[in-house]
Amino acid sequence: MLVHGTCPHDCPDSCGWQVTVEGGHAVQVRGNPAHPYSAGELCPKVNRFLDRVYSPDRVLTPLRRVGTKGSAEFEPIDWEDALALIAERFRDAIARHGPESIVPYSDAGNQSLLATMFPERFWNALGASRLLRALCGPTVGAGVSMTYGTGLCLDPLELVHARLVVLWGTNTKLTNRHLWPTIEAARSAGARIVVIDPLRTVTAEAADWFLQPLPGTDVALCLAMMHVLIRDRLVDQAWVDAHTVGYAELAAHVAEWTPERAAAVCGLDAADIVELATQYGTVRPAAIRTLIGAEHHENGAMFYRTLACLPALVGAWRDRGGGLARSVGSWADPLIDGAALTRPDLRPNGIPRQLNMSHLGRLLNDPTLDPPVAALLVWNANPMVSTPNVEAIRRGLSRDDLFTVCHEQFLTDTARFADIVLPATTQIEALDVTPAWGHLWLGWNEPAIEPCGEAVSNSELFRRLARAMGMTDPCLFDDDATALAAALPTVDLAALRQTGWQRVPYPADGRPYADGAFPTVSGKVELRSEQLVALGQPALPTFVAPFEGPGSARAERFPFQLLTPKHHQRFLNSGYSHLPAHGGREGGPFVEICPADAARLGVADGQAVEVFNDRGCVPVPVRISARVRPGVVAIPWGWWGRHHGNGQVANSLTNDTLTEWGGGVAYSDTLVGVRPA
Ligand SMILES: Nc1nc2c(c(=O)[nH]1)N[C@H]1C(S)=C(S)[C@@H](COP(=O)(O)OP(=O)(O)OC[C@H]3O[C@@H](n4cnc5c(=O)[nH]c(N)nc54)[C@H](O)[C@@H]3O)O[C@H]1N2
Ligand SMILES: Nc1nc2c(c(=O)[nH]1)N[C@H]1C(S)=C(S)[C@@H](COP(=O)(O)OP(=O)(O)OC[C@H]3O[C@@H](n4cnc5c(=O)[nH]c(N)nc54)[C@H](O)[C@@H]3O)O[C@H]1N2
Ligand code: SF4
Ligand SMILES: [Mo]
């Protein structure tokens, strides 16, 4: 039997798959050749998805902690006892501190609709704290929205029509592999492929031209490009006059941003900046493709706001294939009734406080937080590996007076700290609909097998919790089909189930802003933004160097800037490093150091070093590498504590300062020292 589904991972590709089932057992997961985007191919990790499903390490029953927090000593208990314990502790937290002392902590471990949004019904009905989920993406959206009034941008498949493709802070070949054939098709048709990244990634290696600015300096690069476009009369003046506000002020503002000035900030050649601007101003259609890599700086939102100005200056939105391509998730919004799925109307106490997920460590340790975090339920997330400043989180999760529940497939570094671990299904065990943010198709996911062991889906978990808490609103107990029908009121679910995917609305001629109308207050592209002024931010695109960056006082103690990128084919965030055919085959973590810095430090390839700052210390072998430039080092992210010698991880080092606006976090504004171990 072949069962069709959609990969649930937090990956732009949302591939269609088919599962071969024999006698109730899944024997193969392969790409669905008919899928309009992924066309039959998955990726090296998900080709072995069944290693995940049938791993001997899966959590298959509820577990109760019997050792100290973090020791991972658990004993199995049955579901009824686990639910009764959770209900008792939740009630106790509410009695002592109110419902906002209970904090839901989740991300996009499974990004399907029910898996992410149905649980909100329970939290809303409880009146728990809300979580600002801004580790990934919202900063880009916030930045672009300040310029366009919306985050809606180009369908990346439209890049095939471009003749200049700038991959700006995105590692397409690794993180968005199913888009690469489109890039190659554009190149075959004559397009030049440019990559701008502080790391010489696999994508940079495959580009026609690679520019390697220092991390966090791209705003300066953009300002100098604007300077050249204006100076050399490469601006599409008719489009700018008709469809933008603030051009005269911007022109005056960037007059001082000569290529030479930006070159010094970015560590680039002035001539290359002129060449980039000239190409961008003369080749049509010109497309910029970005995802989220460059948002993880204090100035991350400002960068995307600034980047979004470039297509306006050259009138790129006129052309099919021109403009800016980023996440296309919001194009599905007209089909998804989020409120029907999450039911904010159930809140008993108005709008509860919202806590930023990047600050988990700070929140758990803050004696002044009122109410404190008394109970935490983690699902779809692994903060002990993936949230910045992990050692602060470790201290917080070790608190005796904190009650932690983790719904997981594996005993992750986070689950080890839980009082109760609950077993979660994988995607082939549960019904869902999976929206995509890298393409324009919603995907149906039909369960292929029964849940393994006593695992339950996210939606079933929250039905059980609602029952245990004695909650009564009938919608808390809606079955999956009923909840999906509410979430997708205009979608023919039977047809979606039959075909396996449905395209979301997108302009037929491929050009989202063909008419030059933008949903800002002015109806135009806001080169000057009054909204930003209201936030206390500069009205015009402005470069501000990060607080924790080269040249700052900290740099004397911690001279290297640390990047912690996605690096491994077989990883998806923190979710595969523990599996033998995935993490096992990727070898292990390392720190990349350029030859000149290695010589200065006196360290050899393969030598054990410690990468450290005042947040943490991570032992790793050195990899002398031409991928990083002097002053920058990189540790691949996604490895767990056990893969580093002392239990700390790359994020033990990273900065949890928030972006200036937009709610994101400055992981990549992290300074470290390196010393022989
Ligand atoms: N240093 C550094 N840190 C980063 C990044 C970086 O580049 N560098 N990237 C950031 C980004 S972009 C992201 S998106 C985050 C992601 O960070 P993570 O939270 O690590 O994301 P995932 O590994 O995708 O999923 C988290 C967990 O969800 C579990 N899971 C999967 N499916 C289900 C399910 O159906 N139910 C339940 N209950 N659990 C499930 C998985 O087993 C996994 O342990 O990390 C961020 N952290
Ligand atoms: N194999 C694999 N694929 C994945 C994932 C994975 O873990 N493994 N994770 C998935 C997830 S959750 C996401 S969000 C996407 C992310 O997809 P991408 O955004 O493409 O990936 P990232 O590696 O987060 O960042 C891209 C690049 O940004 C660069 N960068 C960092 N700082 C700057 C800067 O200041 N300026 C510029 N120009 N570039 C900068 C990094 O060096 C990196 O190469 O990938 C998804 N796909
Ligand atoms: S992880 Fe990404 S590339 Fe791999 S199968 Fe899933 S959606 Fe496709
Ligand atoms: Mo992400």
Side-chain angles (χ1 to χ4, degrees), residues 234-265:
L234 299 175
V235 168
D236 184 335
Q237 203 62 52
W239 202 92
V240 165
D241 291 345
H243 304 302
T244 72
V245 293
Y247 176 72
E249 283 157 281
L250 181 72
H253 173 68
V254 300
E256 62 190 32
W257 273 101
T258 60
E260 290 71 23
R261 179 175 171 195
V265 172

Side-chain angles (χ1 to χ4, degrees), residues 124-139:
N124 282 328
L126 198 66
S129 283
R130 294 172 305 138
L131 192 72
L132 178 64
R133 295 183 178 84
L135 288 182
C136 171
T139 314

Side-chain angles (χ1 to χ4, degrees), residues 487-509:
L488 297 163
T490 60
V491 173
D492 179 344
L493 291 181
L496 177 58
R497 183 179 185 199
Q498 179 67 33
T499 20
W501 45 82
Q502 175 173 327
R503 195 172 155 90
V504 307
Y506 184 81
D509 81 343

Side-chain angles (χ1 to χ4, degrees), residues 27 56 157 170 183 207 214 234 254 265 291 295 317 329 335 344 346 373 448 501 503 508 513 526 544 600 637:
V27 295
L157 289 180
T170 182
I183 308 290
L214 289 165
L234 299 175
V254 300
V265 172
L291 279 175
E295 82 173 9
W317 289 110
L335 298 183
L346 297 177
V373 182
W501 45 82
R503 195 172 155 90
Y513 301 113
E526 302 204 330
V544 178
R600 252 186 330 114
W637 157 75

Side-chain angles (χ1 to χ4, degrees), residues 7 9 11 13-15 42-43 45-46 177-178:
C7 178
H9 287 313
C11 168
D13 292 357
S14 300
C15 298
L42 298 175
C43 64
K45 56 198 159 284
V46 175
R177 55 185 285 132
H178 294 85

Side-chain angles (χ1 to χ4, degrees), residues 574-641:
S574 69
Y576 281 92
S577 52
H578 60 299
L579 295 177
H582 295 85
R585 289 223 216 152
E586 297 287 7
F590 46 80
V591 58
E592 292 179 277
I593 303 180
C594 78
D597 285 336
R600 252 186 330 114
L601 289 163
V603 296
D605 197 54
Q607 184 176 336
V609 294
E610 287 176 345
V611 181
F612 66 95
N613 59 20
D614 47 3
R615 289 184 282 263
C617 173
V618 177
V620 264
V622 170
R623 181 175 286 190
I624 295 183
S625 161
R627 291 181 359 115
V628 286
R629 47 182 300 165
V632 179
V633 298
I635 301 178
W637 157 75
W639 296 98
W640 293 8

